[in-house]
Amino acid sequence: MAGLAPWAVFDDEALRAIADAFLPPKLQRRYATLLRKGEEGHLSAHEREEWEVLKQQYQRISENKAKARFLLDQRTKTRMVKGNSG
């Protein structure tokens, strides 16, 4: 997974917080509304811009969650190996 080196500074608690992150409820509702309207072909120009911004935020959160989970899994595996070899 690319770009993980800067993430190594985060402790497990911070990584868990990132892994559990979601869009705030208000933005989740707006995301769902715009998704539905977009599927129906009823987005205004302003809504299309808003939709693009929300998609980017959602994608960034999803990528961060994946990186955090990956690092937590790697740390867990490392601890298990160290625990079994000692």
Side-chain angles (χ1 to χ4, degrees):
M1 190 168 281
L4 288 177
W7 288 71
V9 301
F10 292 116
D11 63 12
D12 288 0
E13 183 178 345
L15 289 173
R16 276 191 288 280
I18 294 167
D20 293 339
F22 289 97
L23 281 174
K26 183 177 179 180
L27 290 180
Q28 287 180 30
R29 287 189 299 275
R30 188 65 179 152
Y31 182 93
T33 298
L34 293 174
L35 174 62
R36 181 181 38 80
K37 287 182 79 172
E39 289 172 345
E40 296 169 354
H42 296 114
L43 286 177
S44 69
H46 175 75
E47 288 172 326
R48 267 192 292 283
E49 290 175 22
E50 184 182 5
W51 172 237
E52 288 303 320
V53 170
L54 280 173
K55 282 194 308 186
Q56 290 173 6
Q57 288 177 326
Y58 182 83
Q59 181 67 32
R60 186 174 54 251
I61 289 170
S62 295
E63 290 170 0
N64 288 344
K65 288 169 68 93
K67 289 176 183 179
R69 286 189 181 126
F70 178 82
L71 281 173
L72 285 167
D73 288 346
Q74 293 302 308
R75 289 177 182 180
T76 299
K77 289 175 186 174
T78 300
R79 288 183 193 114
M80 289 174 60
V81 168
K82 287 182 180 180
N84 289 334
S85 65

